[in-house]
Amino acid sequence: MANRVVVEGTLPKAGLGQVVPPRREISALVKDIYQFSLYVQALQEIYDKPANDVVSYWQISGIHGEPYVEWNGTLNVPRSPTDRGFCVHGTPLFPTWHRPYIVLFEQEVQRIARRIAATYTHDTDRWNIEAAFLRQPYWGWDQIATVVPPPEVISAPMVSIVKPDSPAEVLVPNPFLTYTYPAGANAVFGAPFNAWPRTARYPDGLGISQPAKLQAALQALGPQIVNNTQRLMSITTWDAFALGDGTTSGLESIHDTIHNHTGGPNGNMTFIPVASFDPIFYLHHAQVDRVIALWYSRHRVWTPNAADLLPFRRTQTEYWKSPEIIQTNTVFNYVYLGIPNAVQSESSEAGVADYQSEASSTTELEWSVRVECEKYEVGGSFSLYVFMSKEVPSNHTEWLFHPSFAGTFDVFANPNPEKCANCTAHADQTIKGFIHINKKYLERSKKKTLDPEVVIPYLKEHISWGVIKANGEVADIKKFTTLNVTVICTPLTFSDGAKYPTEGRPKVYPEITRGRVGGHRDDQEN
């Protein structure tokens, strides 16, 4: 029997009482010449591994989608015409499945970094220590200050590092910008990715990234991303946290926004089958993992689902299961600064309610646009844009930057769900997301109140929406038969000293969008 790769985390393991190294935000890592130098060199080396190496960048990235092949002795080939793929998107296992996935990438990059560190001819002890502490960085999109990654990730063609043979800094090509596929390997992809030899973000017609467009999009969406992540902390049950429900978007929906607007039209990150080949994918999903840790530290709730997290092995014969991977410090040898790793006695879907003192709390109304639809109806990823205007702006390439733009509902979906077992099983899945519109309403209406008798008449005349597909084209929403856009209002209670609000019962106002194309549908009332 072949010896299989086991997902065990970085080495050496921290002993009892020893400090467990933290994952760092990428903006901090790029300023650390030691760890940044090691990470850059290790990233390039894992790129250069041959495609038939099970821990090459090509093979690890291929776990997430295409080319739909066996990995590390775990079958990912058709057992029926559609039974293939490891994908768990759209299920409560979405958060936990990605945890060992990022650990796998982290451990392989760090092992390369440790080997590189051992070759340094100067300051040798320091380099070895830094390699031992190196962890996968995350992209902190939950903070306005870091919602746009640094130039070393999105725009700088060269970066400065220190190599093993000299303490002097040298410039090297920036491996964060793109990954070049092994020669001919991308022929298995669909168009346009089978014609472009490397990954791209907001590609032009030749498949070349346009970083200025990426930066502009993230700046425009930053407030929404930050606010939605904060609102996520008010959710108290696992399934709602993972997939969304009630009055605010779940983790996967926020994750989808990052994917769609990091890749842009025809960019890798916008397409599930090829998203993980973009190196920014691993920064993004390390942040997703950090949000999971943050939410868990607040609620002490975890999924009880004990299904195997294929293809990630715990031993040569067993796979990791969600209840086994709660504690990142003891299981996988990493932590996040400021987030405790306290142990929950057992997994549970039950939520916990924060104590709220009636004597020291305030309540405000939160107006939101609730969007529901079938995930795969558009035929892949898409973004629904909401505007505080009577009509949708005419130039869809500028929708993000229009003064009336209120927010997006984003869906990260496989354009070929028939190739994926999980996608096929959820072909008729209805998904839900929320766009919180208080700020844009107050700005555009010039009103000073959120009372329904004032808000409702205004929104009836000043709300519109449109959909852009993954290729950048505008979708005909008349053909989007399952779309259901409705306005709701939720009371939020803020207690003194509480960081996050407690949600009250939302009230639906169907009359605001009823009768519009894609508007409220009485047959889907809930």
Side-chain angles (χ1 to χ4, degrees):
M1 178 179 176
N3 194 42
R4 303 301 185 185
V5 175
V6 172
V7 180
E8 58 183 334
T10 51
L11 297 173
K13 293 288 187 179
L16 184 64
Q18 292 182 318
V19 173
V20 177
R23 287 181 175 175
R24 304 171 68 185
E25 208 283 322
I26 185 60
S27 297
L29 187 80
V30 300
K31 297 174 183 176
D32 183 331
I33 192 63
Y34 289 94
Q35 291 200 359
F36 185 62
S37 295
L38 291 170
Y39 192 92
V40 164
Q41 292 174 93
L43 186 59
Q44 187 60 57
E45 187 165 320
I46 200 171
Y47 286 174
D48 294 339
K49 284 179 176 287
N52 62 359
D53 188 328
V54 71
V55 291
S56 64
Y57 190 87
W58 170 258
Q59 286 216 20
I60 291 175
S61 296
I63 292 170
H64 191 260
E66 289 182 334
Y68 297 117
V69 295
E70 173 188 13
W71 185 78
N72 192 35
T74 302
L75 290 178
N76 188 1
V77 294
R79 292 175 288 276
S80 71
T82 60
D83 188 12
R84 56 183 174 179
F86 298 122
C87 164
V88 295
H89 295 93
T91 78
L93 289 179
F94 158 78
T96 54
W97 183 87
H98 285 84
R99 174 162 283 182
Y101 188 20
I102 300 307
V103 171
L104 168 65
F105 183 73
E106 176 179 58
Q107 76 180 30
E108 297 308 319
V109 168
Q110 194 245 11
R111 286 174 182 176
I112 296 171
R114 290 176 65 214
R115 183 182 53 74
I116 293 172
T119 68
Y120 273 74
T121 58
H122 53 92
D123 206 3
T124 54
D125 289 344
R126 176 69 182 272
W127 286 102
N128 285 317
I129 292 171
E130 294 292 348
F133 272 71
L134 182 65
R135 297 295 183 269
Q136 171 61 29
Y138 64 89
W139 164 19
W141 39 250
D142 62 326
Q143 301 293 324
I144 286 294
T146 49
V147 74
V148 178
E152 291 87 349
V153 172
I154 63 172
S155 60
M158 307 288 285
V159 291
S160 182
I161 67 169
V162 173
K163 287 190 169 184
D165 57 351
S166 170
E169 293 188 23
V170 296
L171 290 174
V172 298
N174 184 359
F176 283 100
L177 293 187
T178 188
Y179 163 67
T180 299
Y181 309 115
N186 59 314
V188 300
F189 298 158
F193 306 103
N194 56 1
W196 295 340
R198 62 187 63 85
T199 62
R201 305 163 196 154
Y202 287 83
D204 62 15
L206 298 176
I208 306 301
S209 294
Q210 301 179 87
K213 290 188 175 183
L214 168 60
Q215 181 174 345
L218 294 174
Q219 287 173 334
L221 283 166
Q224 170 183 314
I225 295 166
V226 172
N227 181 60
N228 284 359
T229 308
Q230 292 173 344
R231 290 286 286 107
L232 188 65
M233 298 302 149
S234 296
I235 296 176
T236 59
T237 62
W238 179 267
D239 285 6
F241 163 69
L243 302 176
D245 198 7
T247 66
T248 196
S249 296
L251 177 62
E252 187 164 3
S253 181
I254 299 169
H255 148 276
D256 289 1
T257 295
I258 300 295
H259 266 283
N260 287 5
H261 297 281
T262 299
N266 289 323
N268 282 73
M269 281 284 281
T270 310
F271 288 75
I272 282 183
V274 296
S276 53
F277 292 97
D278 186 331
I280 207 170
F281 173 93
Y282 297 96
L283 300 177
H284 169 41
H285 271 278
Q287 166 68 359
V288 170
D289 185 74
R290 177 175 169 270
V291 173
I292 296 167
L294 182 63
W295 185 86
Y296 174 77
S297 74
R298 173 172 168 79
H299 297 289
R300 296 291 185 263
V301 176
W302 199 259
T303 177
N305 190 317
D308 287 343
L309 300 177
L310 302 176
F312 309 115
R313 295 177 184 268
R314 185 173 66 86
T315 68
Q316 290 294 312
T317 58
E318 298 176 306
Y319 296 95
W320 285 107
K321 296 175 172 59
S322 298
E324 299 170 337
I325 61 172
I326 299 175
Q327 304 306 320
T328 65
N329 56 340
T330 56
V331 178
F332 291 133
N333 202 27
Y334 72 89
V335 296
Y336 296 104
L337 291 178
I339 301 178
N341 254 281
V343 176
Q344 167 80 349
S345 59
E346 60 183 60
S347 300
S348 172
E349 285 188 333
V352 292
D354 285 345
Y355 173 74
Q356 300 286 350
S357 170
E358 294 182 4
S360 58
S361 63
T362 58
T363 299
E364 68 178 47
L365 298 179
E366 178 183 65
W367 290 87
S368 307
V369 175
R370 184 184 68 195
V371 184
E372 298 171 285
C373 62
E374 286 188 3
K375 184 171 185 176
Y376 296 102
E377 187 177 8
V378 171
S381 299
F382 66 90
S383 297
L384 182 142
Y385 292 70
V386 170
F387 303 94
M388 209 64 60
S389 60
K390 293 183 179 181
E391 302 289 341
V392 173
S394 58
N395 183 0
H396 71 279
T397 64
E398 295 296 320
W399 278 4
L400 266 180
F401 316 109
H402 195 274
S404 65
F405 170 68
T408 62
F409 165 66
D410 300 283
V411 177
F412 183 53
N414 197 325
N416 303 112
E418 71 281 358
K419 292 184 177 182
C420 162
N422 178 65
C423 304
T424 302
H426 294 86
D428 298 326
Q429 180 183 24
T430 296
I431 55 175
K432 182 187 300 184
F434 299 83
I435 301 165
H436 306 303
I437 60 174
N438 278 14
K439 184 176 180 180
K440 184 58 64 172
Y441 161 76
L442 292 171
E443 173 192 312
R444 296 286 291 179
S445 70
K446 308 301 182 184
K447 308 292 186 182
K448 296 183 179 180
T449 177
L450 294 170
D451 292 342
E453 60 268 21
V454 177
V455 175
I456 292 171
Y458 182 85
L459 291 183
K460 281 184 176 181
E461 299 294 328
H462 297 89
I463 194 166
S464 56
W465 54 87
V467 173
I468 294 180
K469 298 187 287 186
N471 63 3
E473 297 177 356
V474 176
D476 183 355
I477 60 174
K478 293 179 181 178
K479 298 179 180 179
F480 200 169
T481 60
T482 64
L483 183 61
N484 184 7
V485 177
T486 304
V487 175
I488 68 170
C489 183
T490 308
L492 301 181
T493 299
F494 295 83
S495 291
D496 288 351
K499 190 173 183 180
Y500 307 108
T502 298
E503 300 174 355
R505 182 181 296 276
K507 184 172 182 180
V508 178
Y509 291 94
E511 66 270 26
I512 294 176
T513 60
R514 182 188 284 126
R516 307 270 298 277
V517 176
H520 178 82
R521 298 172 55 182
D522 292 327
D523 62 336
Q524 293 187 7
E525 182 66 65
N526 54 41

